[in-house]
Amino acid sequence: MTRERRTALLATLTGLAAALIAFDLLVWGYGESPRAMVALLLEGTWGTAYGAGQVLFKATPLLFTGVAVDLGLRAGLFNIGAEGQLAMASLLAATLGARLPPGTPALLGVPLVLSTAMAAGAAWAAVPALLRTRFGAHEVISTIMMNKIAEAFVGAAFVYGFAQAGTMRTPDVVAGARVPRLEVLFGALRGSAASFALVLAVACAIVFGWAMRRTRAGREIGLLGMNPTACRAEHVPVGRRLAQALVVSGAVAGLAAAGTVLGYKGYYEAGLGAGAGFGGIAVALLGRGSAVGLVLAALFFGTLAQGGLAINAHVPMEVMDVLQGVVIVAVALADARVRAALAGLVPKGRPA
Amino acid sequence: MSALTAIVSMTMLAQTLRMSVPYTCAALGGVWSERSGVINIALEGMLLSAGLASVVVHVATGSPWLGVAGGAAAGALLGLVHASCVRGRVDAIISGLAVNLAAAGGTRFLLRALYDSASNSPPIEGFRLSVGGGASGARLLVRTLVDPLTLLALAAVLGTAWLMYRTRFGLRVRASGEDPEAAASVGVPVERIRLGAVGLGGAICGLGGAALAFDQHQFQSGMSGGRGFIALAAVVLSGWRPGRAALACVLFAALDSLQIVLQQETRLPHDLVGALPYAATLLALVVMGRRVQKAGLGARPPAGLGKHA
């Protein structure tokens, strides 16, 4: 095991330990038994085939957005706009999916709606990309603003003709544009909403992990994240690579609609998939730039999301959102400490 | 009433002033933090947490003043947490994101834990002001002008400008933000100065959170609504200067109240009109980028922003 790997592993374990401690404290503060709640959480997630299926279902959009945010991070970009990119992708994919002729074959329908979702996510990310490369506007502020504008746009779209009459949701997507549930292949998962979108998400994680190492664009994006000045000196097209990273990131975030709209509800309503964009940040920061890491991180946060529902009758499930923040800080802090200790760069007066 | 008379009115002026308070307080928090060299995107989470804290303390003690103090304390606490993480070499944006995520979840958790509601707190009275009831524009304006939180925000603007440019502490904050290594080499305790500046900024930002909650007479889940980020854009727009940041905030507040008037008085699509402040923020970033590219008209960020001693 390389030193780099060991550092990453140690930081990740610290993050998980911090999450457990924070969970125990919050549950205890709420007046419930931490041990009983952990037991309940495990039982409601990995304890049954249905629970496990639900974890996979919750992990699916998180894996897409996690891969998306990770892609940006490699270029040194914080794409915290996955939330809005996903909302726009969901709206447009669901709308197109509902307008297709009823007999559309799945071989045509599914790729069509998925590429629509990618295009919509990419287009929504293209605005911050342009603002960043042309005007130097920091993507953290602009992507958040794009989230808010997407929210407004979706609201207006539902009022002006995108919604089924009398409802606040899009019409049902035709059968040929839906992503089938995993239960058609694995009978044990019956009833859970896990779909083949999960397979697509895992494939995305693997393909992008490979592309980052093996393609020119991927390599340059990765180098850009480490040292933009050196890249500029080496005539790497910095602006173009930054924009590409953010736009592709938006496209992948948009694909998360496969797990929510196409694999689960079969239509889009405001709030469907909400939180996946921010959850993706936690997944990316815990997954630390490896396909395996991202999948495991998505499963971890998927477990928390489903586990939150399992304990909701006793402790508010919002406790899990707090844990996202705790994990992020703990991992980053542990990582910095371990690195400093290894490099002998521990600040004065502070023991390693 | 036509849309135009609604826009050019005392009510609109009062609205703008009222809405500029949370923006201004958050922007001052950003100025303190970033002038000391600590990137701060945690303003959003600070506003939100302070809003809830002010309501909780107000409900528990019955005193609006203690409520405001509670909001400021919550803001300061989050500021210290953020600054400590950055001091521990956590990327400031990651730390800020974590604060925001934890604040969004934590406030909803506490709402359910304390008040058994997923969306809002019980109503609070806030400050009782004896300028008479009624909704006439002039009265509304007077009431806004004598509102303790408006006055506190004004004091915070003047106080920040004075502290930042006229005192030893302010000089040290600016030195830490411009060149932490040089500052450290002449004996400025950079890390401690940064903790102080981010903590103080957090407290001021916390006043904004309290103003947000007091204005609605309750806390609502997610009520900061991106204001922390808009305030950060105002900081960038101002060139990291407190007075101009406050002016930029009044501008954003004017758009906010314009948006409300347009929703009430015209038949434009509500949701899209509601996105006006966000679109304006994007535009502000573009304008700013242009200016920096052309002449760098005093719009330079602190040179040591994000650097360590």
Side-chain angles (χ1 to χ4, degrees):
Chain A
M1 199 186 270
T2 62
R3 172 178 276 196
E4 189 66 19
R5 280 258 173 88
R6 251 193 324 245
T7 312
L9 192 65
L10 197 59
T12 310
L13 290 178
T14 313
L16 299 187
L20 186 61
I21 293 170
F23 178 78
D24 287 348
L25 283 176
L26 286 166
V27 166
W28 177 73
Y30 195 74
E32 291 282 348
S33 146
R35 184 182 301 205
M37 286 308 115
V38 171
L40 202 57
L41 188 154
L42 288 177
E43 193 195 310
T45 52
W46 296 99
T48 62
Y50 167 77
Q54 284 299 96
V55 169
L56 296 181
F57 158 64
K58 298 272 183 190
T60 303
L62 289 177
L63 183 51
F64 279 116
T65 52
V67 171
V69 175
D70 179 61
L71 203 64
L73 280 177
R74 291 185 192 237
L77 290 166
F78 284 89
N79 177 14
I80 50 181
E83 200 78 22
Q85 290 144 17
L86 174 55
M88 294 306 289
S90 301
L91 177 70
L92 293 183
T95 304
L96 178 79
R99 299 270 165 98
L100 289 175
T104 311
L107 268 178
L108 187 69
V110 172
L112 206 58
V113 283
L114 286 184
S115 23
T116 309
M118 288 179 79
W124 212 245
V127 177
L130 184 78
L131 293 185
R132 167 72 196 251
T133 51
R134 290 292 297 278
F135 303 104
H138 202 288
E139 75 280 358
V140 165
I141 301 179
S142 59
T143 48
I144 283 275
M145 293 304 126
M146 290 304 282
N147 286 346
K148 296 284 175 190
I149 295 172
E151 209 177 287
F153 192 86
V154 167
F158 280 144
V159 177
Y160 292 91
F162 279 75
Q164 206 170 32
T167 67
M168 285 304 268
R169 70 173 185 87
T170 61
D172 285 324
V173 169
V174 299
R178 296 199 57 164
V179 174
R181 299 264 171 103
L182 281 177
E183 63 185 12
V184 299
L185 219 60
F186 307 97
L189 297 176
R190 195 171 311 284
S192 85
S195 68
F196 278 92
L198 177 67
V199 180
L200 182 63
V202 173
C204 262
I206 294 171
V207 166
F208 280 107
W210 172 84
M212 280 294 156
R213 287 192 308 271
R214 293 280 181 267
T215 66
R216 183 187 182 118
R219 293 282 294 173
E220 289 188 351
I221 284 174
L223 292 173
L224 192 55
M226 293 182 215
N227 192 336
T229 317
C231 286
R232 207 164 278 127
E234 281 294 323
H235 298 293
V236 171
V238 172
R240 194 185 338 148
R241 291 286 180 244
L242 274 183
Q244 281 168 347
L246 197 46
V247 168
V248 174
S249 174
V252 177
L255 267 184
T260 54
V261 173
L262 307 173
Y264 172 42
K265 288 274 190 185
Y267 57 82
Y268 178 58
E269 60 187 348
L272 179 62
F278 294 120
I281 299 169
V283 170
L285 291 172
L286 188 63
R288 328 180 105 253
S290 92
V292 178
L294 289 171
V295 171
L296 290 177
L299 285 176
F300 173 70
F301 286 110
T303 307
L304 289 193
Q306 180 60 23
L309 293 175
I311 62 165
N312 197 28
H314 304 275
V315 178
M317 60 180 176
E318 284 81 3
V319 65
M320 297 308 180
D321 297 335
V322 182
L323 294 192
Q324 281 186 352
V326 171
V327 172
I328 291 176
V329 162
V331 170
L333 206 52
D335 191 54
R337 301 298 293 165
V338 174
R339 262 174 221 288
L342 285 177
L345 285 175
V346 183
K348 247 187 300 175
R350 289 154 56 83
Chain B
M1 189 162 47
S2 83
L4 196 63
T5 52
I7 290 169
V8 190
S9 71
M10 295 282 234
T11 315
M12 171 86 183
L13 192 62
Q15 288 268 39
T16 300
L17 207 59
R18 204 167 52 85
M19 292 187 151
S20 69
V21 172
Y23 283 122
T24 304
C25 291
L28 290 174
V31 167
W32 272 113
S33 179
E34 303 216 331
R35 280 309 278 267
S36 81
V38 179
I39 298 168
N40 195 342
I41 64 163
L43 298 172
E44 181 78 7
M46 291 178 180
L47 276 179
L48 201 56
S49 312
L52 180 61
S54 67
V55 168
V56 169
V57 175
H58 187 343
V59 168
T61 65
S63 156
W65 286 104
L66 285 179
V68 170
L77 185 69
L78 283 188
L80 291 178
V81 168
H82 177 59
S84 304
C85 287
V86 174
R87 179 183 178 175
R89 300 298 190 269
V90 173
D91 185 295
I93 294 192
I94 293 179
S95 168
L97 283 174
V99 168
N100 289 340
L101 282 175
T107 49
R108 275 184 291 133
F109 175 73
L110 285 175
L111 266 185
R112 278 193 57 189
L114 295 172
Y115 308 122
D116 201 22
S117 156
S119 57
N120 56 271
S121 73
I124 54 165
E125 193 170 22
F127 290 104
R128 232 173 317 172
L129 301 171
S130 50
V131 284
S136 104
R139 266 205 198 119
L140 204 60
L141 187 60
V142 172
R143 203 183 304 170
T144 309
L145 281 173
V146 300
D147 187 88
L149 281 161
T150 314
L151 298 175
L152 276 174
L154 187 64
V157 176
L158 299 175
T160 294
W162 178 74
L163 264 178
M164 186 77 84
Y165 296 113
R166 293 270 184 271
T167 67
R168 186 182 164 94
F169 174 65
L171 180 63
R172 289 177 154 198
V173 167
R174 286 182 286 135
S176 304
E178 283 300 327
D179 193 338
E181 280 189 23
S185 72
V186 294
V188 175
V190 173
E191 303 287 6
R192 244 185 299 157
I193 290 286
R194 284 181 169 175
L195 275 176
V198 181
L200 174 62
I204 299 176
C205 184
L207 293 179
L212 216 49
F214 277 40
D215 188 45
Q216 297 293 316
H217 293 281
Q218 66 173 349
F219 176 82
Q220 294 155 357
S221 165
M223 76 185 307
S224 50
R227 284 183 179 82
F229 289 98
I230 295 182
L232 197 58
V235 173
V236 175
L237 194 65
S238 75
W240 287 264
R241 285 169 291 195
R244 291 176 194 223
L247 282 181
C249 285
V250 173
L251 208 65
F252 281 117
L255 279 171
D256 230 352
S257 41
L258 176 66
Q259 167 253 122
I260 292 175
V261 171
L262 289 180
Q263 286 198 8
Q264 286 167 350
E265 305 288 335
T266 68
R267 305 183 55 178
L268 297 168
H270 281 197
D271 293 292
L272 291 185
V273 170
L276 200 61
Y278 308 123
T281 304
L282 288 180
L283 191 68
L285 291 176
V286 168
V287 170
M288 211 47 226
R290 271 267 157 89
R291 257 173 64 187
V292 172
Q293 280 163 358
K294 271 194 185 140
L297 288 171
R300 188 179 59 83
L305 194 57
K307 289 196 186 132
H308 289 284

